[in-house]
Amino acid sequence: MEYLYQAGKPNGKKFILLHGTGGDETSLVELAKVLDPDSTILSLRGEVNEEGMNRFFKRNGLNQFDFESLEKETDNLHDVIKQISQEKGIALADWILVGYSNGANIAAHLLLERETALAKGIFFHPMSLEVHTQSFDLADKTIWVSYGGVQDPIVSGLSFSTLVSAFRDRNAEVAAVKTTHGHQVTMEEVQNAREWLKG
């Protein structure tokens, strides 16, 4: 998996960046620097190609997900994170997953469906993938999630609330933020996530 790694200051946060459809390993770097200028960054490029656009798992149309691809790519992502973490000497629990749209979706799926030491996430405009096969406790997980409101053409209010409930029902701590700006990430959201990180 193609990736970008930038070591930050020892006291900085450690971010794993997962881009949205059509993005790459550079897409969220500036966002991460707003969240924490001192951060260490591991930014991954999705390995699925959809008409020239990078994604983290296949789909068969808008919001029509290929679940076989989802499970395969989730395992692949988890393995890559574990391998690079070992190489860099960073504990899995020290990372914060930061994803947007497609990247947020696979990151949330990873926390919900795989037993992992990864425990913290910032997810911009994720949605429920409606895969609920696990029931293990998520009390060690803390996530921040945002939703673009009725202006968002991709994520419905129901899908967003279903995702939030999936975490809360299994004892994860969830901070949910709603905006009125559709599917794009706004500076207001990023600032909100930055304040949350300080908590």
Side-chain angles (χ1 to χ4, degrees):
M1 186 177 276
E2 294 287 327
Y3 70 90
L4 170 69
Y5 181 82
Q6 292 180 356
K9 295 182 180 178
N11 64 336
K13 304 293 186 185
K14 295 174 175 61
F15 295 133
I16 293 173
L17 308 181
L18 304 167
H19 61 77
T21 300
D24 63 23
E25 64 274 23
T26 67
S27 298
L28 299 181
V29 172
E30 290 305 312
L31 184 153
K33 290 303 182 184
V34 175
L35 290 174
D36 180 5
D38 298 331
S39 60
T40 291
I41 290 170
L42 169 59
S43 189
L44 300 158
R45 183 194 299 179
E47 295 195 302
V48 169
N49 187 296
E50 181 186 279
E51 298 179 355
M53 298 185 296
N54 299 315
R55 279 180 58 83
F56 285 98
F57 58 92
K58 294 178 184 176
R59 62 180 174 181
N60 305 310
L62 185 62
N63 297 346
Q64 297 175 26
F65 305 118
D66 182 321
F67 293 107
E68 184 178 342
S69 171
L70 171 64
E71 299 307 331
K72 174 188 169 189
E73 297 301 334
T74 300
D75 285 336
N76 180 46
L77 176 64
H78 198 198
D79 288 344
V80 167
I81 290 171
K82 287 187 284 189
Q83 178 187 337
I84 297 173
S85 298
Q86 189 170 18
E87 290 171 3
K88 303 297 183 183
I90 297 173
L92 285 183
D94 289 344
W95 288 113
I96 300 166
L97 293 161
V98 179
Y100 165 59
S101 195
N102 178 241
N105 290 345
I106 196 168
H109 185 73
L110 171 55
L111 293 186
L112 286 166
E113 292 289 310
R114 302 292 186 274
E115 295 198 56
T116 178
L118 294 164
K120 199 164 190 175
I122 293 175
F123 304 144
F124 296 95
H125 307 278
M127 65 193 299
S128 171
L129 302 180
E130 299 186 19
V131 178
H132 306 288
T133 69
Q134 302 297 325
S135 58
F136 54 83
D137 190 71
L138 298 177
D140 65 323
K141 313 300 184 197
T142 57
I143 65 167
W144 178 101
V145 289
S146 68
Y147 163 56
V150 295
Q151 318 308 5
D152 191 326
I154 297 173
V155 181
S156 70
L158 176 60
S159 182
F160 180 76
S161 61
T162 298
L163 178 68
V164 170
S165 294
F167 277 101
R168 285 180 174 159
D169 289 350
R170 289 163 58 191
N171 302 313
E173 184 181 321
V174 183
V177 173
K178 296 185 180 180
T179 78
T180 57
H181 298 288
H183 203 63
Q184 79 267 19
V185 177
T186 66
M187 185 54 71
E188 178 187 357
E189 286 172 87
V190 180
Q191 299 281 16
N192 188 294
R194 185 172 71 174
E195 289 305 309
W196 176 80
L197 278 172
K198 295 176 182 177

